[in-house]
Amino acid sequence: MSDFERAATAAGTLAGPPAGDGYPSRAVVDLAAIRANVVELARRAGSAEVMAVVKADAYGHGLVPSARAALAGGATWLGVAQASEALALRAAGVGPDDARVLAWLLVPGSPFADLVAADVDVSLAASWAVDEVVAAARTTGRTARVHVEVETGLGRGGVVPADLDGLLAALRSAEAEGALRVVGVWSHLALADVPGDPVNDLQRRSFDEAVARVERAGCVLEVRHLANSAATVTAPGLHYDLVRPGIAVYGLSPVPELASAHDLGLVPAMTLEARLALVKPVAAGQGVSYGHLYTTERATRLGVVPLGYGDGIPRHASGGSAGPGGPLLVGTGDGARLLRVAGRVCMDQVVVDLGPDASERAGDVVRLFGPDAAGPTAQDWADAAGTISYEITTRLGARVPRVHVGAPTGGTDPA
């Protein structure tokens, strides 16, 4: 039995082969690890509160279970991009007394009335958003809580400095009506993963200037927030009142060139494993998978792993003439071997060259990544695909079952 199966069995969620729909792989998410990661991030944040970012299904880890684990670790805020994510948290019972929730990527026609009714904080950066929030407040009879996103140098979201005074005038008028209250100002860093880059200081100065302008306009702020995961672990001077860690909540390093997850006191929460679907002998010179990027150099045995780009496995992690493929830990215990994807990643499967003396059989476990230093990590897959670890977990497909283990507070089953 693999570590993955042991953990799931201990949690009462797995016994023997995959159950349910029989899908031949699964992602095991350790909620206790998420809780512990937030404890560490809260320690690093000092006096600042922690907003655990749980957008994109908690970076692929499962929105509601991960949010609850983060709250158990000391987070007092939850951050999401989409309105639907915020409303799903509230519908699942994560109430305003449990956490403030901020939704920040809204478009004209977003369900502002539903957000205001659910006591979700909303971010805005344009006059059209003020109009829609005011309309929502009038519809619901509630005062909306608003965070102003300001442009400080990322060149993405946020009101530009030249337009800030006009936006503030509209906001103050709406405050006078009682339709909304400006409770926060925030922005996002472009180069937080390069701590010494001068852009970080330029953004800090721009942010401070914007905050001062908002306060001079008469807004009484609860929180100012700028720090993402990288700034949370490397730049205490950017913590302000609230930090917004995302990837670090799930135990992956936001600065892998500078420090590993272990170095930062973080534990990767997700383990992705599958079972071999087929093991077969082939001759030397056999081309493997589409395009024959990989050709066997000797008579060998090939294994088929039933995960592919349809499940979120990056096609750029194919193995062959262009470079080594994504890493795979084949087998368990002392007999486990670190091998590589052989040939093109397909929609539903990858192939591994097990070698001529391989003893593996169909049904044996293959781990793609997990927290164990003895096996591959999500960062290893990111390196193989030329991307970042955020993408590796977030892109994991919906058809891969998530198994949540490790009750975050002890004494209760994960939900």
Side-chain angles (χ1 to χ4, degrees), residues 125 148-152 157-160 164 185-188 206-207 210 214:
V148 179
E149 183 183 7
V150 294
E151 168 65 77
T152 59
V159 57
V160 298
L164 181 56
V185 176
W186 73 289
S187 190
H188 199 58
S206 180
F207 184 68
V214 173

Side-chain angles (χ1 to χ4, degrees), residues 27-32 34 60-62 66 269-271 402-406:
V28 177
V29 178
D30 185 350
L31 299 177
I34 292 176
H61 292 70
S66 298
M270 182 184 288
T271 297
R402 271 61 163 183
V403 178
H404 293 95
V405 302

Side-chain angles (χ1 to χ4, degrees), residues 287-307:
V288 176
S289 193
Y290 294 121
H292 285 182
L293 299 183
Y294 181 90
T295 301
T296 59
E297 296 180 350
R298 67 215 183 295
T300 188
R301 296 177 70 80
L302 299 178
V304 175
V305 181
L307 279 169

Side-chain angles (χ1 to χ4, degrees), residues 192-236:
D193 54 343
V194 187
D197 195 287
V199 169
N200 293 316
D201 191 53
L202 290 173
Q203 285 200 255
R204 178 189 60 78
R205 293 180 187 180
S206 180
F207 184 68
D208 289 344
E209 290 170 3
V211 168
R213 290 172 66 182
V214 173
E215 291 178 331
R216 282 198 302 269
C219 299
V220 180
L221 301 176
E222 292 180 10
V223 288
R224 303 163 299 156
H225 46 112
L226 180 62
N228 55 7
S229 284
T232 299
V233 301
T234 66

Side-chain angles (χ1 to χ4, degrees), residues 218-261:
C219 299
V220 180
L221 301 176
E222 292 180 10
V223 288
R224 303 163 299 156
H225 46 112
L226 180 62
N228 55 7
S229 284
T232 299
V233 301
T234 66
L238 300 179
H239 287 177
Y240 293 94
D241 307 303
L242 180 67
V243 297
R244 303 190 309 269
I247 197 65
V249 168
Y250 311 101
L252 298 173
S253 174
V255 287
E257 296 83 2
L258 303 177
S260 68

Side-chain angles (χ1 to χ4, degrees), residues 318-333:
S318 299
S321 57
L328 304 166
L329 188 68
V330 179
T332 58

Side-chain angles (χ1 to χ4, degrees), residues 329-371:
L329 188 68
V330 179
T332 58
D334 294 338
R337 298 182 294 146
L338 187 60
L339 301 173
R340 294 274 178 175
V341 170
R344 187 87 72 189
V345 173
C346 305
M347 183 179 290
D348 310 294
Q349 54 200 289
V350 298
V351 180
V352 56
D353 186 341
L354 298 169
D357 301 320
S359 60
E360 287 84 8
R361 298 180 298 174
D364 285 353
V365 172
V366 176
R367 173 179 292 186
L368 281 78
F369 58 80

